[in-house]
Amino acid sequence: MLLLSVFQMFILTGDVTSQEICSEYCSPDPNNGVKCDGVTGKCLYGCMTGFGGSKCSIQCCGACNSCSVSPTTSAVVCDSCNDGFYLDSGECYPCSRTCATKLSSSLPVCRPTDGRCQFACQTGYYGNMCDTMCSRNCRNDICNPTTGACTDGCILPVLTGSMCQQACSSGCLNRECDQSGACVFSGCQQGFWGSDCSQKCSPNCVIPSNQLDHVCDQTNATCLNGCVNNTYWGSNCSTSCNNNCVNKKCFFETGTCLDGCIEGYEGSQCTEKWTTNNTNTIIVGSAIGGAVLLIIVIIVACCICKKCRK
Ligand SMILES: *[C@@H]1O[C@H](CO)[C@@H](O)[C@H](O)[C@H]1NC(C)=O
Ligand SMILES: *[C@@H]1O[C@H](CO)[C@@H](O)[C@H](O)[C@H]1NC(C)=O
Ligand SMILES: *[C@@H]1O[C@H](CO)[C@@H](O)[C@H](O)[C@H]1NC(C)=O
């Protein structure tokens, strides 16, 4: 093989000795084995891994697989790095150990140009370089590799928020809620409503004596035990009973006065006034009724008298 390539070189360059000046780290032409310019010694097909410079006479450092000499500073700068490393300002750095590995290897994989993890992160980490730990409040230490949001829920039912770092609303019974803040596990404390139980029931709702019973409906605030003192009505007891109700008391569902109307008013909510027409009608009605009755009495009396005379 060696003889063959030397022979080929001889044929192509016409001068075997010219190839003897080539650095052993010049890469050969795959077809004929020629490595460098026989006169200048410049490698014609690049350098072998780990070497650089025009004559491949520079040994690159560490994980660098090709390097060159900076024309301005004369320093050796790396141009590309081995697998598992990335380039930053002419030097090679290992990919973050928390970058996910390729299936076929155990090396963490990152973008060779800037170190960003290429296949997301190892469990428990997030961020571009996977160098931030998931919140300790994430269940199983699992979080979204990009946002850090806990994807398996929180370690305790009293924690909420994307990273499980907030406390549930104080309106939640036992202060327990899901990750969105909804008090789904135990419902609301007495006197509160809303999905996160942050709203108070109307102060006009009757508060039940049993502390476990709710004051108002947890989804729509409807008072569940009627209105205080029977003096309000409406689904959340926001309307006062009509002033014309006796004692200002009414049924909490309908507003109908509980004990009738005060003098001069009528209707279920005592909103209608007796009109003067009403009074006249009553007077005229009674007058006519009285007259009719009198006539009947007279007629009957006459009849009786006639019978007596016979
Ligand atoms: C409030 O919700 C309860 C239970 O879901 C329902 O029975 C009631 O009709 C609702 N009230 C109103 C005013 O929407
Ligand atoms: C209910 O009645 C009591 C006693 O009369 C009174 O102290 C209280 O203020 C009333 N509550 C409301 C909300 O009107
Ligand atoms: C009570 O009901 C009224 C009318 O239905 C509504 O405007 C008000 O927002 C309700 N209040 C609560 C606390 O739900």
Side-chain angles (χ1 to χ4, degrees):
M1 187 64 203
L2 182 69
L3 281 175
L4 179 65
S5 45
V6 169
F7 177 67
Q8 281 176 335
M9 274 181 248
F10 178 73
I11 294 191
L12 279 157
T13 64
D15 183 0
V16 176
T17 54
S18 75
Q19 289 300 300
E20 285 169 0
I21 67 162
C22 296
S23 154
E24 61 178 306
Y25 303 117
C26 288
S27 293
D29 179 327
N31 295 321
N32 55 35
V34 167
K35 290 167 140 189
C36 76
D37 182 304
V39 177
T40 63
K42 271 193 174 181
C43 299
L44 297 173
Y45 303 100
C47 305
M48 295 175 110
T49 297
F51 292 86
S54 64
K55 296 177 184 174
C56 299
S57 52
I58 306 165
Q59 186 166 7
C60 309
C61 308
C64 180
N65 68 25
S66 80
C67 52
S68 56
V69 173
S70 160
T72 49
T73 64
S74 304
V76 176
V77 290
C78 188
D79 301 317
S80 72
C81 306
N82 293 338
D83 283 351
F85 292 81
Y86 68 98
L87 191 62
D88 185 11
S89 311
E91 292 193 47
C92 295
Y93 297 92
C95 295
S96 162
R97 274 185 300 162
T98 46
C99 286
T101 58
K102 225 193 232 174
L103 275 183
S104 56
S105 96
S106 57
L107 270 188
V109 184
C110 68
R111 230 159 45 176
T113 49
D114 61 8
R116 271 181 81 139
C117 297
Q118 242 160 1
F119 305 112
C121 303
Q122 301 212 3
T123 302
Y125 294 86
Y126 74 101
N128 285 340
M129 314 280 268
C130 299
D131 49 2
T132 311
M133 280 179 83
C134 298
S135 157
R136 283 196 202 170
N137 294 341
C138 292
R139 180 179 293 145
N140 302 328
D141 282 333
I142 294 178
C143 70
N144 180 300
T146 308
T147 63
C150 304
T151 45
D152 230 11
C154 307
I155 49 165
L156 294 170
V158 295
L159 295 170
T160 185
S162 66
M163 296 195 183
C164 300
Q165 278 166 326
Q166 289 158 270
C168 297
S169 151
S170 58
C172 298
L173 196 60
N174 307 325
R175 287 203 82 155
E176 289 182 348
C177 67
D178 69 8
Q179 224 178 327
S180 76
C183 310
V184 290
F185 303 132
S186 313
C188 297
Q189 280 197 41
Q190 192 187 56
F192 291 86
W193 70 282
S195 73
D196 63 353
C197 304
S198 62
Q199 288 168 283
K200 282 191 167 176
C201 296
S202 159
N204 300 334
C205 295
V206 167
I207 297 170
S209 49
N210 185 341
Q211 291 208 335
L212 295 175
D213 292 340
H214 290 296
V215 173
C216 68
D217 185 279
Q218 292 185 47
T219 59
N220 61 24
T222 296
C223 298
L224 297 174
N225 312 282
C227 307
V228 279
N229 300 342
N230 293 318
T231 51
Y232 298 89
W233 70 283
S235 69
N236 60 23
C237 299
S238 56
T239 312
S240 294
C241 297
N242 195 301
N243 280 338
N244 302 331
C245 295
V246 169
N247 298 327
K248 293 180 188 157
K249 286 181 189 288
C250 63
F251 288 105
F252 72 92
E253 284 163 319
T254 58
T256 298
C257 299
L258 209 54
D259 303 322
C261 304
I262 58 170
E263 186 76 32
Y265 293 87
E266 62 182 359
S268 66
Q269 296 186 18
C270 302
T271 48
E272 295 149 44
K273 239 182 174 176
W274 287 357
T275 57
T276 42
N277 268 349
N278 276 346
T279 354
N280 286 347
T281 310
I282 291 165
I283 293 167
V284 171
S286 331
I288 292 172
V292 169
L293 192 65
L294 190 64
I295 289 166
I296 290 170
V297 169
I298 290 169
I299 291 171
V300 170
C302 286
C303 291
I304 293 170
C305 284
K306 276 182 184 172
K307 271 193 177 172
C308 289
R309 278 186 208 152
K310 281 183 182 173

